[in-house]
Amino acid sequence: MERRIRAAQLTAFRCRLWEEERGSATIEKYLREVRAFSAWLGDQPLTKEQVFRWKDHLAVCGHQPATINGKLAALNKFFGFLGWKDLPVRYLRIQRRLFRSTERELTREEYSRLLDTAWDLGRVRLALLLETICATGIRVSEVPYITVEAIRSGRAEITLKGKIRTILLPGKLCRKLQKYAGKRKITSGEIFLTRSGRGLSRRQIWAEMKSLCARAGVAASKVFPHNLRHLFARTFYRACRDVAKLADMLGHSSIETTRLYLISTGTEHARQLERLGLVT
């Protein structure tokens, strides 16, 4: 029997992902990748050979191996949901990275410039948002958990991806946020709100951060919420050298995931090699 990808299947797939308590961004990504494959497939029958061709097509188009694996993960999940067990394909094998590109790593000094620029421009909400993400290591999707109640108690209870974890909020940050909330008469609920009183969207947070780049002299490729989380991870690890504790702080189920946050840059890696003194 010829297999096709239909709208009803995608709707059912969305429901299954919600039942598994996947994040909204993950759900949209999975659906987007399946739709992209379906559009590429067109009227051709869905076979394992076509999935192999899609995998090759992604490589020819210049996608990075990690990106290709992410797309394949969405397809494999969808095929598994439908019981099409003969269709999933293997992921590309990627050698563990020894160092990270400096083109995307946000340094402490660059972070300070972004903060200074936000304050200089009078964008108090944005400055406090940058400090909150970087000082706690929260994900952008966890910003709504920074509430008036949380800053009063000095901790935020985050329930996401089927897990509950407690984030401690630095006292100095709490005092800043309390002052901010008081001036804006925010007495309960989320701290970071739009003028209409709604929570900030992921897209809005990204856009506001990017708007600082030119004035702060920081490459736009380095400025996005998750990079603040990476800066927190590196700074925390340098202070305590406890990767297990850091994994708990970040909400990671696997220390291997945390390890990826701690990979040194190519410049640092080269410096370490020079210190070995093995070239006479």
Side-chain angles (χ1 to χ4, degrees), residues 3 18-19 22 26 54 56 59 69 78 83 106 115 124 129 139 143 148 178 205 207-208 215 233 253 257 263-264 277:
R3 288 177 287 203
W18 272 114
E19 290 171 358
R22 301 278 181 153
T26 299
W54 171 246
D56 292 339
N69 283 347
F78 179 67
L106 184 70
L115 265 184
V124 179
L129 180 59
R139 302 176 177 91
V143 168
V148 172
Q178 284 177 329
I205 293 173
E208 290 196 16
R215 183 76 174 262
S253 300
T257 302
I263 298 173
S264 63

Side-chain angles (χ1 to χ4, degrees), residues 195-209:
R195 290 181 180 178
S196 62
R198 296 179 180 178
L200 293 175
S201 68
R202 179 191 301 260
R203 181 176 298 178
Q204 187 170 358
I205 293 173
W206 272 65
E208 290 196 16
M209 286 182 63

Side-chain angles (χ1 to χ4, degrees), residues 139-268:
R139 302 176 177 91
V140 67
S141 58
E142 296 170 340
V143 168
Y145 290 92
I146 305 301
T147 62
V148 172
E149 294 76 14
I151 62 175
R152 284 174 182 163
S153 66
R155 61 184 61 200
E157 297 289 335
I158 294 178
T159 306
L160 208 62
K161 296 186 177 182
K163 295 181 290 187
I164 300 175
R165 81 181 196 280
T166 300
I167 295 295
L168 298 180
L169 306 176
K172 187 174 182 180
L173 176 65
C174 287
R175 291 190 291 274
K176 280 187 169 186
L177 292 177
Q178 284 177 329
K179 184 177 179 181
Y180 172 80
K183 284 186 176 181
R184 283 155 182 76
K185 296 181 172 54
I186 303 172
T187 57
S188 65
E190 294 182 46
I191 293 290
F192 297 106
L193 302 171
T194 63
R195 290 181 180 178
S196 62
R198 296 179 180 178
L200 293 175
S201 68
R202 179 191 301 260
R203 181 176 298 178
Q204 187 170 358
I205 293 173
W206 272 65
E208 290 196 16
M209 286 182 63
K210 294 288 187 184
S211 69
L212 298 174
C213 295
R215 183 76 174 262
V218 181
S221 62
K222 297 183 176 186
V223 182
F224 50 93
H226 206 69
N227 245 8
L228 296 176
R229 182 167 156 88
H230 275 262
L231 179 55
F232 166 83
R234 296 195 308 274
T235 306
F236 183 92
Y237 183 73
R238 288 188 186 118
C240 72
R241 296 290 173 179
D242 189 335
V243 69
K245 188 173 183 179
L246 176 58
D248 290 338
M249 294 282 290
L250 295 174
H252 289 160
S253 300
S254 169
I255 288 181
E256 179 62 22
T257 302
T258 309
R259 191 196 70 80
L260 296 176
Y261 282 57
L262 304 177
I263 298 173
S264 63
T265 64
T267 301
E268 291 172 314

Side-chain angles (χ1 to χ4, degrees), residues 13 17 22-32 74 161 202:
F13 184 47
L17 293 173
R22 301 278 181 153
S24 57
T26 299
I27 292 174
E28 293 308 316
K29 180 182 185 302
Y30 275 29
L31 293 172
R32 184 170 61 250
K161 296 186 177 182
R202 179 191 301 260

